[in-house]
Amino acid sequence: MANLQVRDIDDRLYEALKRRAEMEHRSVSQEVVLLIENYLAHDNKESERKTLSFLELSGSWVDDRSPEKIVEEIRSSRTKNTRGRDADELFD
């Protein structure tokens, strides 16, 4: 089994870990391992949830227009910015 050494840990963080471990009748080392395991398990579930949510969006936009037509409509709806063209005008 691998060993992990953490250096220069903040005293307040160590004390919080120590209190939490004592409350759960575990060593600080056991508590840290459990916290890391829980974090990694949660992180994987969250990543999977986000991936599934993204995949649900796949194909959800249906439009009869071609991509070129959509881009053309977006570009034609834009207005030209004239800010800063008049040298005497400080604010719009």
Side-chain angles (χ1 to χ4, degrees):
M1 197 173 288
N3 288 317
L4 174 67
Q5 182 178 15
V6 180
R7 295 186 181 145
D8 301 324
I9 190 168
D10 184 79
D11 290 335
R12 292 180 301 160
L13 177 58
Y14 182 78
E15 289 303 318
L17 281 168
K18 189 175 173 182
R19 280 193 305 276
R20 183 175 171 139
E22 287 173 357
M23 288 173 42
E24 299 296 328
H25 306 289
R26 288 190 275 265
S27 68
V28 172
S29 181
Q30 290 170 326
E31 188 66 23
V32 169
V33 168
L34 185 65
L35 287 169
I36 292 171
E37 286 174 347
N38 288 342
Y39 175 80
L40 292 176
H42 172 73
D43 189 46
N44 288 338
K45 289 178 186 174
E46 184 67 17
S47 293
E48 183 178 342
R49 185 190 66 73
K50 287 179 181 178
T51 300
L52 292 174
S53 295
F54 175 76
L55 291 175
E56 286 176 7
L57 294 174
S58 175
S60 63
W61 180 341
V62 177
D63 199 320
D64 295 334
R65 298 172 296 169
S66 70
E68 292 80 12
K69 182 68 175 168
I70 294 171
V71 170
E72 179 186 321
E73 289 181 16
I74 291 171
R75 287 185 175 151
S76 68
S77 69
R78 293 180 177 163
T79 59
K80 296 202 183 250
N81 185 353
T82 59
R83 289 180 82 178
R85 293 205 179 167
D86 293 333
D88 295 334
E89 189 175 323
L90 183 58
F91 299 106
D92 288 336

